[in-house]
Amino acid sequence: MVYVLVTLSENQDGIESLCEYKKRAKEIRDENGAEDVSKMTIKERLVGNFEDESIRILKFPSVEDVKKWLSDPRYKEIIPLRNNGYKNVTVSILE
């Protein structure tokens, strides 16, 4: 089991792309073994300049499954939607 941290900052000029990306990305992610653990938004920033507004914790069966998700041809196809819909996206494997 491996946990993944995803941080996101929406682009208000890319709402249509964002909606399409979310619809398609979740299905691909889930087919690669992902489970939602937690979804949060920043309530109050106390220190630093962390720009991301939304945080997700995902759980995958293995690191290989995380990498399969990100290299899935269907996922690669929607990366332009992601890049238009979000100003910033990070995906990190947690230890």
Side-chain angles (χ1 to χ4, degrees):
M1 201 66 50
V2 64
Y3 290 91
V4 174
L5 171 68
V6 181
T7 63
L8 309 153
S9 182
E10 291 184 4
N11 175 10
Q12 295 305 312
D13 295 330
I15 297 300
E16 288 181 28
S17 294
L18 183 62
C19 290
E20 182 65 20
Y21 170 78
K22 285 180 177 181
K23 183 173 66 174
R24 294 171 63 185
K26 183 173 181 350
E27 179 181 334
I28 297 164
R29 187 194 73 195
D30 292 352
E31 285 178 11
N32 282 283
E35 293 178 42
D36 286 310
V37 174
S38 187
K39 178 180 177 181
M40 297 168 268
T41 56
I42 303 296
K43 178 180 178 180
E44 180 181 1
R45 192 168 330 282
L46 300 174
V47 177
N49 58 0
F50 187 71
E51 293 182 21
D52 300 319
E53 299 160 354
S54 182
I55 298 170
R56 288 169 179 66
I57 305 287
L58 306 174
K59 181 169 62 171
F60 283 84
S62 69
V63 170
E64 291 76 23
D65 290 310
V66 176
K67 292 179 179 181
K68 264 181 28 184
W69 160 48
L70 295 173
S71 65
D72 188 305
R74 296 170 301 154
Y75 186 74
K76 287 184 174 189
E77 181 180 301
I78 63 172
I79 287 175
L81 293 171
R82 182 195 72 192
N83 291 345
N84 191 45
Y86 292 105
K87 292 186 284 185
N88 189 34
V89 175
T90 66
V91 178
S92 305
I93 294 173
L94 302 175
E95 191 170 53

